[in-house]
Amino acid sequence: FPLPLLMMTLLPLFMPTGLAFNLGPILPVFVLPGAIWWSVRRISLSRNVAPLSAAATLPFLFNEGYSMWGGNALSLLAGQFAHLWAVIWMFIGAGLLTDDLRLKRFPWRSALAFAAVCMSHAYIMLCLPAVFLGVLLSIPHRKTRHLLSIWLGSGVMAILLSIWLLLPMVLNAKWTTPF
């Protein structure tokens, strides 16, 4: 998936190339707790939930029960780093969508974050409908037509922004899946 690799190719603008390509795969371990804290802080009405949510990522990150399916530190060291980048973008997108709904503004930031999920890992992309529903249910005044248009607009724009990657992936699935 292209986005994590693109981010790794942009890091040498700020640091040596070798360091950038070593830091790119391991950076999600350090970014995930902060991304979850920020997102839950936007979604939750209680200040106590965000630090607990960020702390709850640590058992997930350091789980040694699997090493190749993505998400934990062992799988990052095995080369499965795109999965965790997609999880980070998913939480950032949920926080941005909550802000967009609460402030009733055009959802271009959340659409970019959800498009980043689609361009980072397909399996996490399959979780986006549940994230969209959860964000919609977390807004207290969710019955207005304007909020639904913002909510749907974010999802539609995310799909349109990432269709260049999703469409060939779906059309070639009959050849790539058996391989």
Side-chain angles (χ1 to χ4, degrees):
F1 294 98
L3 188 61
L5 297 174
L6 178 65
M7 292 183 334
M8 286 171 52
T9 58
L10 293 177
L11 280 176
L13 296 173
F14 308 104
M15 61 185 65
T17 303
L19 178 63
F21 279 87
N22 287 328
L23 188 60
I26 202 70
L27 195 59
V29 169
F30 302 107
V31 174
L32 181 68
I36 289 180
W37 176 87
W38 182 85
S39 172
V40 171
R41 186 70 190 106
R42 295 288 182 273
I43 294 169
S44 175
L45 299 176
S46 170
R47 296 185 73 104
N48 299 328
V49 177
L52 292 174
S53 300
T57 63
L58 298 178
F60 170 72
L61 285 173
F62 297 113
N63 178 11
E64 295 183 8
Y66 60 94
S67 63
M68 289 304 294
W69 298 109
N72 62 1
L74 284 178
S75 62
L76 291 176
L77 295 174
Q80 299 290 334
F81 57 90
H83 180 276
L84 198 51
W85 276 117
V87 171
I88 290 167
W89 285 114
M90 180 181 66
F91 277 100
I92 290 172
L96 290 171
L97 182 59
T98 302
D99 282 348
D100 292 341
L101 288 170
R102 189 172 291 126
L103 300 173
K104 297 180 181 172
R105 64 179 171 208
F106 187 71
W108 66 272
R109 298 177 319 145
S110 60
L112 285 175
F114 291 132
V117 172
C118 296
M119 291 183 278
S120 294
H121 205 281
Y123 289 141
I124 303 303
M125 179 191 69
L126 297 175
C127 299
L128 286 181
V131 170
F132 269 73
L133 185 61
V135 167
L136 184 66
L137 294 176
S138 71
I139 301 296
H141 50 289
R142 63 184 179 274
K143 299 292 184 192
T144 66
R145 179 176 286 170
H146 182 65
L147 290 181
L148 286 176
S149 67
I150 292 172
W151 179 75
L152 285 173
S154 178
V156 169
M157 284 190 323
I159 290 171
L160 291 175
L161 287 170
S162 55
I163 198 76
W164 64 273
L165 175 72
L166 298 176
L167 190 61
M169 188 172 62
V170 170
L171 294 177
N172 293 321
K174 62 182 174 184
W175 292 291
T176 57
T177 303
F179 177 71

